[in-house]
């Protein structure tokens, strides 16, 4: 997998010209709020949630979405949105041990500034509800030891005409496989379902308020996910507001 990352670093510059258009799905100079401080001691805030609990299924996820989690997946990132129109959410990593799921870590997070939708379109400022694979990562910063293929490139840098609180949003990113080509850099602008369906939806670093469609969490949380999510475990994200997740 490391060889793939090296190749991507070499070709990342070719995507630089189109990346700015892609980034508009993830951030905006119009967001307010100050940057959320990184955890002072990684795991401190999450330690209370790091309890092994035997679960036969992902909690608070109904049959509709539960059935979309591939049988081979042994890592699930669950994003629990507070409400349909809320930008507040919680990210929980579940790891399958045998036939049960363990709640591994959790972090406070943000989603689209206008909440969630089951019919996402470009510019609606809502995050798409659903189950999506996680196959590719990257960012401005050097590879922190990611198991997913990682593209390091300055082309991920958020424009400096955006609010300063957004400048580090894309230091680390994990592509959510919504309307994108798997096996490519997160910066690849290709949208198989068309431009109007939106795209460039990522897990990325938090700036303290809602996003344009992505899910954001702390730097330490992103670093942990990058070092933990393993292609051999077929990781997916299950995301949505609590009501839609339970449906």
């Amino acid at each position: 997998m490391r060889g793939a990352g090296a190749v991507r670093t070499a070709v990342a510059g070719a995507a630089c010209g189109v990346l700015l258009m892609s980034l508009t799905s993830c951030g905006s100079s119009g967001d307010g709020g100050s940057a959320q401080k990184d955890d002072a001691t990684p795991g401190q805030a999450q330690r209370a949630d790091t309890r092994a609990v035997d679960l036969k299924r992902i909690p608070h996820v109904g049959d509709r979405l539960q059935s979309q989690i591939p049988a081979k997946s042994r890592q699930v990132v669950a994003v629990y949105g507070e409400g349909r129109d809320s930008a507040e959410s919680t990210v929980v990593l579940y790891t399958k041990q045998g036939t049960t799921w363990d709640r591994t870590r959790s972090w406070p997070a943000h989603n689209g500034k206008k909440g969630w939708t089951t019919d996402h379109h470009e510019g609606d400022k809502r995050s798409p509800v659903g189950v999506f694979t996680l196959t590719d990562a990257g960012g401005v910063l050097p590879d922190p030891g990611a198991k997913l293929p990682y593209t390091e490139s300055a082309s991920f840098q958020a424009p400096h005409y955006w609010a300063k609180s957004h400048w580090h949003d894309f230091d680390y990113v994990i592509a959510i496989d919504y309307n994108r080509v798997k096996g490519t850099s997160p910066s690849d602008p290709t949208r198989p379902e068309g431009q109007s369906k939106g795209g460039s939806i990522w897990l990325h670093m938090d700036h303290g308020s809602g996003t344009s469609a992505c899910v954001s969490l702390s730097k330490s949380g992103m670093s942990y996910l990058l070092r933990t999510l393993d292609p051999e475990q077929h990781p997916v994200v299950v995301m949505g507001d609590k009501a839609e997740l339970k449906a």
Side-chain angles (χ1 to χ4, degrees), residues 3-200:
V7 172
R8 291 189 184 178
T9 301
V11 301
C16 187
V18 295
L19 181 59
L20 181 58
M21 178 180 70
S22 300
L23 293 181
T24 59
S25 291
C26 283
S28 164
S29 59
D31 285 347
S34 57
Q36 185 181 59
K37 292 183 179 179
D38 193 27
D39 297 30
T41 54
Q44 182 178 26
Q46 303 94 328
R47 194 162 290 126
D49 293 314
T50 313
R51 302 183 295 268
V53 178
D54 286 339
L55 303 168
K56 296 300 182 183
R57 53 190 286 152
I58 303 300
H60 313 297
V61 175
D63 291 342
R64 178 173 62 86
L65 292 179
Q66 198 88 40
S67 66
Q68 296 178 33
I69 299 173
K72 61 187 177 181
S73 293
R74 305 190 72 81
Q75 292 177 324
V76 169
V77 178
V79 184
Y80 297 101
E82 287 300 317
R84 183 180 185 278
D85 300 322
S86 173
E88 304 289 330
S89 54
T90 300
V91 167
V92 182
L93 173 64
Y94 294 97
T95 304
K96 198 167 191 178
Q97 305 290 343
T99 59
T100 60
W101 293 94
D102 288 345
R103 180 184 173 108
T104 308
R105 290 282 184 97
S106 71
W107 303 268
H110 289 97
N111 51 267
K113 64 181 69 175
K114 290 188 177 181
W116 297 89
T117 180
T118 55
D119 186 22
H120 175 67
H121 284 81
E122 181 79 3
D124 64 11
K125 308 298 183 184
R126 292 180 179 272
S127 298
V129 175
V131 177
F132 309 100
T133 53
L134 300 170
T135 56
D136 305 280
V140 177
L141 296 179
D143 185 345
K147 295 181 179 180
L148 297 173
Y150 187 94
T151 302
E152 176 190 350
S153 176
S155 65
F156 283 99
Q157 178 65 57
H160 276 202
Y161 60 78
W162 288 5
K164 190 174 182 179
S165 59
H166 294 252
W167 288 2
H168 295 284
D169 280 10
F170 313 127
D171 281 359
Y172 289 140
V173 306
I174 298 171
I176 293 171
D177 292 337
Y178 170 89
N179 197 16
R180 69 177 299 271
V181 177
K182 300 178 186 180
T184 64
S185 167
S187 61
D188 184 347
T190 305
R191 297 182 177 183
E193 297 179 52
Q195 190 72 19
S196 66
K197 289 295 291 181
S200 299

